[in-house]
Amino acid sequence: EAGVTQSPTHLIKTRGQQATLRCSPISGHTSVYWYQQALGLGLQFLLWYDEGEERNRGNFPPRFSGRQFPNYSSELNVNALELEDSALYLCASRLAGGGETQYFGPGTRLLVL
Amino acid sequence: GNSVTQMEGPVTLSEEAFLTINCTYTATGYPSLFWYVQYPGEGLQLLLKATKADDKGSNKGFEATYRKETTSFHLEKGSVQVSDSAVYFCALSGGSNYKLTFGKGTLLTVNP
């Protein structure tokens, strides 16, 4: 069974640009979570999507947004990039009704110059 | 709100040494508890979990017991290997959104 996949693996942008990160969950998983792992800040919850809807968001500004598609894949968009947005962005999926375990992808490393 | 406190690293051990990484938590209700491991340059892998008090999670020689009375979920391994070198994260999942709250991570280095 394929795990969670993310693309691209690395992304380099300049300040003010927009970044789009993609995630495909494990087959059958309908919930997708996004986390940011920034140096010195640890792992922080960003967004939760389930059944195509945004269900919850962490303490991040509105320029962090996303969506979930009918096939349950998800996209994270970061607008007006700032230097401090440089981080590893991790996507995780969970089987709705299947407990609380989240399974993580390899991440997208975003560098903002 | 929920929070997780892990012992600060880095932790450096020799091969075959005993490992303990302490983890305590604060949460309302009855959270599920997890240990994730992150190898260099990779994402997070689930190592083990426990969903209720006194449950013991185990995998690959690692163990952790959910202790409600001490709000702890310490990670242990009897004999570490060089391949265990990684960052270990303790996490909890609580509430209807199932979001994970992580500790800051503990870097473990095992020398041959």
Side-chain angles (χ1 to χ4, degrees):
Chain A
E1 180 182 279
V4 177
T5 59
Q6 292 186 245
S7 64
T9 54
H10 293 82
L11 191 56
I12 300 175
K13 295 285 185 179
T14 55
R15 229 169 47 174
Q17 285 188 313
Q18 179 197 43
T20 299
L21 289 63
R22 297 180 177 84
C23 171
S24 291
I26 292 171
S27 178
H29 287 198
T30 60
S31 272
V32 170
Y33 296 78
W34 287 94
Y35 294 86
Q36 182 197 64
Q37 187 177 24
L39 203 60
L41 294 178
L43 278 151
Q44 295 182 284
F45 166 72
L46 251 172
L47 288 160
W48 171 36
Y49 291 94
D50 185 59
E51 295 286 354
E53 301 284 334
E54 181 182 305
R55 302 294 185 182
N56 195 231
R57 66 183 293 127
N59 189 23
F60 282 85
R63 57 190 186 83
F64 287 84
S65 65
R67 53 181 171 166
Q68 187 177 32
F69 299 98
N71 66 354
Y72 304 114
S73 67
S74 177
E75 198 172 84
L76 174 68
N77 295 294
V78 188
N79 293 319
L81 283 165
E82 301 180 2
L83 297 178
E84 53 265 34
D85 297 333
S86 295
L88 180 67
Y89 289 84
L90 292 165
C91 169
S93 73
R94 183 178 65 86
L95 179 64
E100 301 175 64
T101 304
Q102 294 179 27
Y103 298 91
F104 284 80
T108 293
R109 191 164 295 280
L110 172 64
L111 178 61
V112 182
L113 301 175
Chain B
N2 297 338
S3 66
V4 175
T5 303
Q6 277 182 247
M7 65 183 285
E8 292 194 16
V11 174
T12 303
L13 297 173
S14 297
E15 207 164 22
E16 298 184 4
F18 184 85
L19 168 71
T20 299
I21 301 178
N22 290 336
C23 172
T24 57
Y25 68 90
T26 301
T28 54
Y30 304 95
S32 291
L33 301 173
F34 305 83
W35 278 99
Y36 283 88
V37 58
Q38 185 174 35
Y39 297 101
E42 297 185 11
L44 299 181
Q45 293 180 26
L46 176 66
L47 183 58
L48 54 84
K49 67 177 182 180
T51 58
K52 61 183 188 296
D54 300 325
D55 267 1
K56 177 186 282 188
S58 61
N59 186 27
K60 300 181 182 179
F62 290 90
E63 293 183 339
T65 301
Y66 190 145
R67 301 285 189 202
K68 192 170 190 309
E69 64 276 13
T70 54
T71 61
S72 65
F73 192 54
H74 305 321
L75 182 68
E76 296 183 336
K77 186 175 185 183
S79 176
V80 293
Q81 305 300 311
V82 172
S83 57
D84 294 327
S85 298
V87 180
Y88 292 81
F89 291 93
C90 183
L92 70 80
S93 173
S96 58
N97 59 18
Y98 302 106
K99 75 174 186 181
L100 290 168
T101 300
F102 289 90
K104 292 187 182 301
T106 302
L107 173 62
L108 169 67
T109 301
V110 181
N111 295 317

